[in-house]
Amino acid sequence: MNAPIVSVVIPAYNHEDYVQETIASIIQQSYPRIEIIVIDDGSTDATWKKIRECKEACENRFIRTVLLTQKNEGRCVTLNRLLEQTTGDFVYIIASDDIAKPDAIDTLVSFLDSHPEYVLAVGDNELIDARGNTIHWDSNLCAVYDESDAVYKTYGSFLEQSCGFSFCSENFGTYSSFCRRNYIPNGYLVRNEVLKSYVRFTESAPLEDYWLMLQLSKYGKMKYIDDVLFSYRWHQNNTVHNREYMQSITLQTWKHEENNIQNPGFEAFKHIFEREACKTTIKFQFGRIFKYYKEETITGKRRVLEILGRSYILKDSTFKETK
């Protein structure tokens, strides 16, 4: 009875085929003291009906059950409302089409409860298809079912290779690393006192998980547990399939953080952000040059000359572009 309470929050939208499996994976958790909070964000399919069908099972399993629906408000508003409902010591966020492994919450609580300097703990993710079958990725992030054909066997292995550093190193979860990109796998457990004190989701930072990581990294360390604790569903409706949209909301979130650290008290993070912004911009420009140079066309060469025609200078620690 003295064990911490975990608040599991599920933002649900148009996942009638998956949401009951998501809820079932929380019901089946080995960790005992859980409250579950689900908000249907105005789904146009049968998602809310599927959620209501789980009410009795949830009330029999959890110490507190909250199932709500609302008109469509978007993910940031929904996450803020979910967090307002929480009463637990820790918060576990899971999308309404994913699955938590039975020992996931128990494993993460065991670590955070004994390491107060950490604000977040997360494990690796296996990849599953729309039917729940285990898959892997080839070099183009296309699903392959034979492990021998896989370039990335898990989502964590892909993220780790993309970042270029070991997730078991001290780089994991640092503010400077998040200035370059978001890379935290799904299925993370967070200290609720930090969430409620320092995090408020906003449409100005539309990539909400990236915004969350940027904020949490200012207040504590993060731990990667090298075990598969989560099943990340890979299907055609995943937002990440829309590359242009993902790039757009990532940039918006990055820009909002740039404005956020101008506030008093963030001087140290402002310096880090500006330093990493320089590195990222340089890397991006060289990547563009290489891309267009490889095309070996007149248009490609013209684009290379346009990029090289812009000079970049450091002035007062700010990266500025001049003609």
Side-chain angles (χ1 to χ4, degrees):
M1 293 299 296
N2 294 324
I5 295 174
V6 174
S7 301
V8 174
V9 298
I10 305 176
Y13 181 71
N14 283 357
H15 280 156
E16 61 180 0
D17 294 332
Y18 310 122
V19 66
Q20 289 189 341
E21 193 173 1
T22 299
I23 293 173
S25 76
I26 305 304
I27 291 173
Q28 295 160 10
Q29 288 297 302
S30 59
Y31 190 79
R33 304 195 73 201
I34 296 174
E35 65 174 12
I36 189 168
I37 305 162
V38 186
I39 295 182
D40 167 55
D41 186 29
S43 295
T44 58
D45 63 4
T47 295
W48 176 232
K49 176 178 179 291
K50 296 289 186 180
I51 292 170
R52 293 200 313 271
E53 290 173 357
C54 299
K55 182 179 180 180
E56 183 177 357
C58 288
E59 290 177 340
N60 290 335
R61 164 63 176 89
F62 303 119
I63 62 175
R64 178 170 171 257
T65 298
V66 179
L67 308 178
L68 302 171
T69 189
Q70 64 186 25
K71 68 176 182 179
N72 184 252
E73 298 278 3
R75 191 169 172 88
C76 291
V77 171
T78 303
L79 283 168
N80 285 331
R81 288 180 179 163
L82 283 163
L83 295 179
E84 288 168 2
Q85 291 281 339
T86 60
T87 65
D89 304 280
F90 302 106
V91 174
Y92 186 80
I93 302 174
I94 180 171
S96 55
D97 58 344
D98 294 329
I99 299 171
K101 294 292 187 181
D103 292 330
I105 292 177
D106 192 32
T107 301
L108 299 173
V109 169
S110 295
F111 179 83
L112 285 185
D113 200 32
S114 58
H115 295 81
E117 71 275 24
Y118 285 80
V119 296
L120 177 148
V122 65
D124 197 357
N125 298 177
E126 71 174 357
L127 297 159
I128 59 174
D129 66 11
R131 296 182 299 276
N133 300 311
T134 301
I135 61 172
H136 312 284
W137 277 341
D138 64 13
S139 58
N140 296 314
L141 306 190
C142 294
V144 294
Y145 291 86
D146 190 337
E147 190 172 319
S148 63
D149 296 328
V151 175
Y152 309 108
K153 295 181 180 180
T154 66
Y155 188 41
S157 65
F158 162 72
L159 292 171
E160 188 172 36
Q161 186 166 326
S162 300
C163 288
F165 63 82
S166 170
F167 279 4
C168 295
S169 71
E170 291 297 317
N171 286 324
F172 185 82
T174 60
Y175 181 77
S176 61
S177 65
F178 286 126
C179 289
R180 296 189 289 273
R181 61 169 294 162
N182 184 32
Y183 55 80
I184 296 294
N186 303 290
Y188 41 79
L189 189 74
V190 185
R191 291 191 187 279
N192 201 7
E193 60 180 337
V194 178
L195 279 176
K196 289 195 169 183
S197 298
Y198 304 112
V199 178
R200 182 78 180 174
F201 294 101
T202 170
E203 295 295 338
S204 297
L207 192 55
E208 74 287 335
D209 54 348
Y210 185 26
W211 172 251
L212 175 60
M213 298 311 152
L214 283 164
Q215 307 322 305
L216 292 178
S217 62
K218 297 170 185 172
Y219 300 102
K221 299 165 67 176
M222 301 185 188
K223 175 66 176 180
Y224 178 72
I225 297 172
D226 194 15
D227 292 317
V228 173
L229 302 178
F230 196 86
S231 299
Y232 174 38
R233 197 180 298 273
W234 186 247
H235 54 82
Q236 289 304 311
N237 293 329
N238 288 107
T239 305
V240 293
H241 283 294
N242 189 334
R243 182 170 296 181
E244 288 186 5
Y245 175 71
M246 288 299 297
Q247 289 176 342
S248 173
I249 63 175
T250 299
L251 182 59
Q252 288 180 59
T253 303
W254 197 73
K255 289 292 186 182
H256 187 67
E257 173 64 5
E258 185 178 24
N259 294 329
N260 181 55
I261 55 175
Q262 306 305 317
N263 295 319
F266 290 133
E267 289 79 8
F269 298 106
K270 180 181 177 181
H271 173 72
I272 295 171
F273 186 91
E274 290 171 347
R275 182 190 68 207
E276 296 304 325
C278 292
K279 293 180 182 178
T280 301
T281 306
I282 292 170
K283 183 177 179 180
F284 175 69
Q285 293 300 335
F286 273 107
R288 294 174 69 203
I289 290 172
F290 183 68
K291 171 188 173 183
Y292 288 118
Y293 187 78
K294 282 175 61 178
E295 291 183 2
E296 296 184 353
T297 63
I298 294 176
T299 301
K301 297 300 185 290
R302 184 180 295 120
R303 292 294 292 121
V304 171
L305 291 173
E306 288 175 3
I307 296 169
L308 290 174
R310 298 171 181 267
S311 62
Y312 290 83
I313 59 171
L314 277 174
K315 183 178 181 181
D316 298 329
S317 300
T318 303
F319 213 55
K320 296 184 177 181
E321 181 187 68
T322 58
K323 292 287 186 180

